[in-house]
Amino acid sequence: MNDSLNVLILSQNDYKENDALVKTFSLEKGIVTFIAKGLLKSESKNASACMPFSESTLTYDDKEGSGLQILHSASLITSHRVLREDLNKQTIMTIICELTEQLLKDNYDPSLSQDIYKVVQQCIATLEKTDKYAHVMTYFLVSSLIWLGVEPQVDECTLCGDNQINSLSMDEGGFICVNCQKEIQSTIYTTEFLYAFRIVNKVTYDNFERYLNYKKPEKILVDILYEFMKYHTNISLKSWVFIEKWSIIN
Ligand SMILES: [Zn+2]
């Protein structure tokens, strides 16, 4: 019996000999890894449909309960080639794909999958038509913090509820007021930076288009969001090193 699945290709890795492991994300199944036999041979018919960031229809015989399936064939729906041809776009997409896998790998939750799918599609569409890498990166990180249930408190002091904010604490999970800062000695930031941090943490699917008109988020803001996620969850991304190396955010 042939099963078929429409997927976004997250990544492709060498497996053995000419075989590859293709990680996919779909609404129906969340994260599924396929063994693609002979994919690395030059004559492979499935090669273009298994390129990272492509959307494709895959056929296979579903082995119930297995996270590893054997691919029969792959046909391309949308190539999203521009995301692979620009190094900066490729970097952001690689991070988004790795994070998507981390968010869903241990628990397939249909409603979470749907939320992530919508946001990933929005990021892809934006990267295809603009150069707003930093906006897209911050948006996906902020969305992930919410999905993980560890979003920073940015409406008031996380310790006492006061509104006179001058600091941000990783440990306490958000904004800190002038008085509490004196006690816990958390890092002080400029009002401008704290304002930008608050704005980005309010970005959602519905207001993202408007957020694209805001000035480009600084590298330090992107870094703090990532550090925040690492601090409060066990997620750490191998692909993050590419942002450091190419410093594409600034
Ligand atoms: Zn306080």
Side-chain angles (χ1 to χ4, degrees):
M1 181 70 190
N2 248 350
D3 295 286
S4 86
L5 193 60
N6 288 346
V7 302
L8 171 72
I9 308 289
L10 297 178
S11 65
Q12 187 195 109
N13 290 294
D14 294 0
Y15 187 44
K16 39 188 180 192
E17 293 176 22
N18 290 313
D19 303 347
L21 284 182
V22 178
K23 283 195 179 138
T24 69
F25 173 36
S26 63
L27 278 176
E28 294 84 352
K29 302 261 180 187
I31 306 296
V32 179
T33 303
F34 288 86
I35 299 176
K37 298 202 164 159
L39 189 71
L40 306 175
K41 286 186 190 161
S42 55
E43 70 271 21
S44 170
K45 286 193 289 263
N46 296 329
S48 66
C50 288
M51 294 288 271
F53 326 139
S54 297
E55 287 182 76
S56 302
T57 304
L58 308 187
T59 64
Y60 64 109
D61 287 325
D62 190 51
K63 277 191 285 168
E64 191 100 26
S66 173
L68 200 58
Q69 304 283 349
I70 295 174
L71 179 73
H72 287 180
S73 69
S75 61
L76 197 61
I77 303 169
T78 312
S79 158
H80 296 303
R81 187 191 305 165
V82 67
L83 303 177
R84 292 186 299 274
E85 288 175 346
D86 178 309
L87 205 54
N88 295 331
K89 295 181 183 190
Q90 192 185 37
T91 295
I92 300 297
M93 277 308 296
T94 304
I95 292 169
I96 288 176
C97 287
E98 189 185 350
L99 187 46
T100 297
E101 187 196 339
Q102 297 279 328
L103 290 165
L104 286 167
K105 69 173 179 183
D106 295 326
N107 60 329
Y108 172 61
D109 169 342
S111 104
L112 177 62
S113 273
Q114 204 158 21
D115 288 350
I116 297 175
Y117 203 86
K118 268 168 57 182
V119 172
V120 169
Q121 291 293 349
Q122 205 176 21
C123 291
I124 288 176
T126 307
L127 287 173
E128 280 192 320
K129 57 179 196 258
T130 75
D131 287 336
K132 307 230 171 196
Y133 321 114
H135 291 77
V136 170
M137 192 70 267
T138 48
Y139 171 47
F140 199 76
L141 287 171
V142 162
S143 304
S144 300
L145 290 170
I146 293 170
W147 294 323
L148 291 159
V150 296
E151 68 272 27
Q153 158 67 272
V154 292
D155 288 329
E156 56 188 25
C157 174
T158 178
L159 293 175
C160 75
D162 193 82
N163 288 323
Q164 220 192 329
I165 305 300
N166 71 344
S167 166
L168 177 62
S169 164
M170 219 42 94
D171 212 16
E172 301 297 342
F175 279 177
I176 301 293
C177 74
V178 175
N179 286 331
C180 294
Q181 191 280 330
K182 284 184 198 136
E183 278 180 41
I184 67 166
Q185 296 293 308
S186 46
T187 312
I188 293 177
Y189 293 93
T190 63
T191 310
E192 194 194 8
F193 176 81
L194 293 169
Y195 180 75
F197 190 77
R198 183 169 191 276
I199 294 287
V200 71
N201 276 285
K202 297 288 181 187
V203 176
T204 63
Y205 182 82
D206 294 323
N207 64 26
F208 176 63
E209 289 293 324
R210 220 176 336 135
Y211 175 63
L212 290 175
N213 298 322
Y214 268 81
K215 75 174 177 116
K216 185 178 176 179
E218 294 173 74
K219 173 82 162 58
I220 180 180
L221 198 154
V222 182
D223 282 339
I224 287 178
L225 290 170
Y226 179 60
E227 290 302 319
F228 211 89
M229 187 168 69
K230 276 210 301 188
Y231 190 91
H232 292 284
T233 71
N234 54 10
I235 289 180
S236 165
L237 303 171
K238 276 188 243 142
S239 51
W240 194 259
V241 68
F242 298 129
I243 278 209
E244 301 297 340
K245 236 190 260 173
W246 297 330
S247 53
I248 59 175
I249 297 297
N250 274 352

